[in-house]
Amino acid sequence: MNRYAKSIAAFVITCVAGIAMAQVPQVANPASASSAALPMSPAPTSAAPTGATPQDVRHELTADDLSVFFDGMVPFALQRGDVAGGVISVVKDGKLLFTRGYGYADLKQRTPVSPDSTMFRPGSTSKLFTWTAVMQQVEQGKLDLDRDINTYLDFKIPPRDGKPITLRNLMTHTPGFEDTARGLLPATPEEVDLEKYLKSHVPARIFAPGEIVAYSNYGCGLAGYIVQRVSGERFEDYIQHHIFEPLGMHHSSFAQPLPAALAPLMAKGYKSASDAKPQSFELVDPAPAGSLSSTATDMANFMIAQLQGGRFGDTRILQQHTADLMHSQQYTAAPGLPGFDLGFYQEDSNGQRIIGHGGDTVVFHSDLHLLLDANVGIFMSMNSAGNEGGAHVVRKAIFRAFLDRYFPHEPSSEATASTAKADAARVSGWYESSRRNESALRMFYMLSQISVVPDADGVLTISAWTDYAGKPLHWRETGPLHYREVNGKATLDFVADAQGNIRYWATDAEAPVFVFQRVPASRSMGLAGPLVAVSTLIMLVTLLLWFIGGRVRKHYRRPLELAPGQRRSRLLSHLGVAALAAVVVGWLGLIAAISINENFLLQGAATPWIYLLYVIGVLALLGAIAVVIHAVRAWMAPRRGRWVLAGETLLALAAIYLAWFIVAFGMISFNVRF
């Protein structure tokens, strides 16, 4: 993909994939994530730098050493990444070990970031509070993790393959929902309504529950609504009373807008520090998926409670056995790879058992990591996306460097498998994220497909997976369909069905919030992309030649001598060509508009334009028929030159392909469930 297509892909995976809520999914490329794939969800970011090796000497994890480490790295990283400000807190053995703010909470007023009082928007990291609330209700016997969630709702989620969705499915992001973005970031507080949102935005089910991981903001919203119903308390109030207050989190809230006492503490959000234009407070619906506002020290209290099995000081938010269950693996896309616990995703690295969650809104970008066995937690948040080396790269690089400094680990060397060349041929092809929308945005997701290409030795290059410098990562096979990053630590597994056909691949280079599923050749970017481009170019060139030809004939007063029937079919063919070109160019224009302004999609402004494109799509299908009919008549008519016949035939073939493409990629579905 070219850079523009990668940007769109990242946007879709991150934005339509989750803006404010988890950290997945951006439109630059699904691995360098701009979150242009929907904010609020774990969005893919660049993988660890190739060649990174842990230091020979382990540094002692102390406040003084952390101060030297972060103070030497973070200010420079923020400046280089064009990020206005950030905050970090580290806990160890039940205590706040380090916390510090960097940069500015308000660029105009030059207000520095305070870890104690400056509030950030952690995006999808908010989900951890929702999942904790669910486990509190499970602990009290009010909820059952394996019961049909419809028994807790006052509306019904349609069935899929006869299997009900359970809370365990919701907490492992395996309910089978397609991704949705419309209404995710409402424009006004009046539009924020959890119950209304859930009942009016039920996503399509594209997978059977429990089978494929596909990150879902909607699923977390359902869980929060269930807590609200069984507890009898409004969701925001429940979190306040049963988590924030027991943990002494006095500068935290799910309320939108913030209470008057907290609103002045909110950091300004910016697209970049150089832009310096503060963005409005980002509203999130459904709130349980990403509406938290909090400080670094408050988040430290939450980390301490989770690391201590639900205990914070003399109080408990969970019992030990409940916390242990919450921190145990419930799903993995491939044996041996990190997967999902109950709400937390696994990030095992450097010999450490790590769980956590990231979060992205349009302007705020955060990560929370818990090293369970070391009893260490780290939280960081930034108030700007910045440039291509901005928040998404910085936060990942900080955590990677943190692990290598305090928990150095060198993975054992593994020989290249003897099956490398044969297996490389099996896995070569195009793949798409399981976190996608098929109802209305199939063409968007075609642009986000990524390729797996082997070299002569069977070493793989994956188009969207790059290091911090933007260079592609390479992967060599060390076991059956198991690959390790060349000169790196990350691993990648391909999963086959019973017949040996490749279904998807998954990797620990990113959060395990989706997998990449194989795309049939006919729908792949490698084949469909060039054919659509060539066919559309034929349409546009034809329109230009018709225009020029008409002007030339008019100038020399040499009108075409056609029978009335031929003249009518020629006119209809002209209109058909115009409609076919318009529908493809129109969709590309819509994608461009979304890549420039994510809110165009997230706040629903794209809806009327999508309907218009559906109408044009129908006209284009009728136009394709007209083009073919006119080509047939040209062959039947006497005295038509060979070049004219060749041109009409080529035009008809292009029209037929574009008609198939319009149908195959849902460009006439009249569905705006996105």
Side-chain angles (χ1 to χ4, degrees):
M1 290 186 291
N2 60 29
R3 182 176 178 181
Y4 177 69
K6 289 180 180 179
S7 299
I8 293 171
F11 171 82
V12 171
I13 291 180
T14 294
C15 266
V16 187
I19 277 182
M21 307 203 178
Q23 169 194 349
V24 168
Q26 314 170 341
V27 192
N29 71 43
S32 70
S34 88
S35 186
L38 290 194
M40 288 198 308
S41 102
T45 56
S46 298
T50 300
T53 57
Q55 300 187 15
D56 295 332
V57 179
R58 180 192 298 268
H59 288 256
E60 187 177 356
L61 186 59
T62 64
D64 289 342
D65 198 80
L66 285 169
S67 181
V68 172
F69 172 60
F70 287 128
D71 289 354
M73 171 188 289
V74 178
F76 172 75
L78 296 184
Q79 181 181 17
R80 186 173 181 178
D82 200 13
V83 175
V87 69
I88 295 176
S89 59
V90 178
V91 301
K92 186 178 188 299
D93 297 332
K95 297 179 180 179
L96 177 60
L97 183 62
F98 173 89
T99 183
R100 188 156 300 164
Y102 297 92
Y104 296 99
D106 186 325
L107 286 171
K108 183 178 180 180
Q109 301 298 327
R110 310 302 284 179
T111 306
V113 171
S114 166
D116 299 321
S117 60
T118 302
M119 299 177 71
F120 282 72
R121 299 280 276 165
S124 283
T125 310
S126 309
K127 289 181 173 68
L128 298 179
F129 292 82
T130 302
W131 304 133
T132 300
V134 169
M135 295 307 292
Q136 288 177 333
Q137 296 300 300
V138 169
E139 191 173 83
Q140 296 172 30
K142 296 180 180 179
L143 293 177
D144 185 329
L145 290 173
D146 298 307
R147 189 174 180 181
D148 184 347
I149 61 170
N150 281 321
T151 61
Y152 303 119
L153 297 171
D154 56 349
F155 66 104
K156 296 295 182 183
I157 302 297
R160 165 89 188 202
D161 297 344
K163 297 180 180 179
I165 294 175
T166 66
L167 281 167
R168 197 183 302 273
N169 296 146
L170 296 182
M171 298 182 78
T172 56
H173 292 271
T174 59
F177 291 133
E178 71 174 353
D179 201 23
T180 56
R182 185 161 58 97
L184 192 61
L185 299 184
T188 65
E190 291 72 28
E191 298 176 52
V192 178
D193 187 319
L194 178 59
E195 180 178 351
K196 181 179 179 180
Y197 176 90
L198 294 174
K199 292 180 177 179
S200 61
H201 290 74
V202 180
R205 306 274 300 285
I206 58 176
F207 308 116
E211 295 185 3
I212 297 291
V213 61
Y215 192 83
S216 175
N217 290 309
Y218 182 88
C220 186
L222 277 179
Y225 184 58
I226 288 172
V227 169
Q228 178 172 287
R229 285 181 51 77
V230 300
S231 69
E233 295 183 72
R234 184 169 171 266
F235 173 78
E236 292 84 349
D237 296 335
Y238 180 92
I239 300 296
Q240 181 68 39
H241 298 152
H242 300 280
I243 299 180
F244 292 158
E245 291 176 4
L247 297 183
M249 298 177 66
H250 304 304
H251 298 100
S252 300
S253 178
F254 269 82
Q256 303 179 99
L258 284 172
L262 296 179
L265 305 179
M266 187 68 217
K268 296 289 193 298
Y270 304 90
K271 292 183 178 179
S272 66
S274 58
D275 175 73
K277 297 177 182 177
Q279 304 297 302
S280 58
F281 182 83
E282 295 170 297
L283 302 166
V284 175
D285 208 4
S291 72
L292 173 64
S293 301
S294 188
T295 65
T297 50
D298 274 13
M299 294 298 290
N301 291 356
F302 178 73
M303 291 192 291
I304 290 171
Q306 287 288 344
L307 287 166
Q308 296 193 141
R311 179 177 60 82
F312 181 77
D314 296 327
T315 189
R316 276 193 171 275
I317 58 170
L318 293 173
Q319 295 301 313
Q320 182 70 52
H321 65 88
T322 306
D324 289 343
L325 175 62
M326 190 177 185
H327 300 166
S328 63
Q329 188 179 81
Q330 306 292 312
Y331 172 88
T332 182
L337 280 185
F340 260 99
D341 294 349
L342 288 172
F344 287 91
Y345 52 70
Q346 298 175 321
E347 308 177 285
D348 297 359
S349 183
N350 284 43
Q352 297 295 314
R353 189 165 59 105
I354 306 172
I355 61 175
H357 211 292
D360 300 273
T361 67
V362 173
V363 293
F364 285 91
H365 307 277
S366 310
D367 271 323
L368 182 150
H369 310 279
L370 301 179
L371 286 67
L372 296 178
D373 297 329
N375 204 11
V376 169
I378 177 172
F379 169 79
M380 66 188 83
S381 188
M382 299 166 201
N383 65 346
S384 320
N387 56 32
E388 290 185 356
H392 292 293
V393 172
V394 169
R395 67 187 187 186
K396 191 177 184 75
I398 288 174
F399 185 54
R400 180 77 266 157
F402 175 86
L403 289 178
D404 285 345
R405 183 177 181 88
Y406 299 109
F407 304 94
H409 177 75
E410 187 67 38
S412 58
S413 60
E414 299 173 288
T416 300
S418 59
T419 55
K421 293 183 180 180
D423 284 343
R426 291 177 61 195
V427 304
S428 174
W430 289 83
Y431 295 78
E432 64 183 350
S433 170
S434 59
R435 184 189 181 189
R436 62 182 183 269
N437 178 281
E438 294 190 348
S439 294
L441 299 176
R442 278 184 240 169
M443 183 175 176
F444 285 30
Y445 283 91
M446 184 191 79
L447 295 176
S448 72
Q449 291 176 14
I450 61 178
S451 62
V452 173
V453 180
D455 66 12
D457 296 322
V459 175
L460 305 182
T461 298
I462 298 178
S463 61
W465 241 251
T466 61
D467 63 17
Y468 295 141
K471 296 180 180 179
L473 299 181
H474 304 288
W475 308 79
R476 62 183 180 86
E477 188 176 38
T478 58
L481 298 179
H482 176 76
Y483 290 78
R484 181 173 293 280
E485 177 193 352
V486 175
N487 298 322
K489 302 177 181 178
T491 60
L492 181 153
D493 280 22
F494 288 85
V495 175
D497 61 20
Q499 289 72 44
N501 301 310
I502 302 299
R503 296 175 57 206
Y504 60 80
W505 61 265
T507 178
D508 60 8
E510 292 298 335
V513 295
F514 47 72
V515 295
F516 284 93
Q517 298 175 292
R518 190 153 210 170
V519 179
S522 62
R523 292 180 52 245
S524 72
M525 187 69 177
L527 181 61
L531 288 179
V532 167
V534 170
S535 298
T536 304
L537 181 62
I538 290 172
M539 298 295 152
L540 293 173
V541 170
T542 298
L543 289 173
L544 179 61
L545 292 177
W546 281 342
F547 175 77
I548 294 173
R551 301 297 293 180
V552 170
R553 286 191 298 272
K554 183 177 181 180
H555 177 76
Y556 290 103
R557 298 180 181 179
R558 297 287 300 274
L560 283 175
E561 296 180 1
L562 297 174
Q566 289 179 315
R567 194 174 296 278
R568 284 193 298 271
S569 69
R570 183 173 182 272
L571 174 61
L572 292 174
S573 178
H574 280 40
L575 294 174
V577 168
L580 286 163
V583 71
V584 176
V585 172
W587 276 99
L588 290 175
L590 179 67
I591 293 172
I594 293 170
S595 68
I596 294 170
N597 180 10
E598 298 97 325
N599 287 340
F600 185 65
L601 181 71
L602 299 174
Q603 295 180 350
T607 301
W609 295 102
I610 292 177
Y611 273 126
L612 175 61
L613 289 172
Y614 286 151
V615 172
I616 297 175
V618 172
L619 295 177
L621 290 183
L622 297 175
I625 296 173
V627 171
V628 172
I629 290 175
H630 183 66
V632 171
R633 297 191 68 167
W635 277 91
M636 297 174 63
R639 295 166 26 195
R640 301 308 300 271
R642 67 180 66 179
W643 290 110
V644 172
L645 294 177
E648 295 290 359
T649 301
L650 181 63
L651 190 61
L653 291 174
I656 291 171
Y657 183 78
L658 287 179
W660 173 85
F661 182 82
I662 289 169
V663 173
F665 285 86
M667 296 159 71
I668 54 169
S669 69
F670 286 91
N671 191 320
V672 291
R673 185 163 55 183
F674 61 84

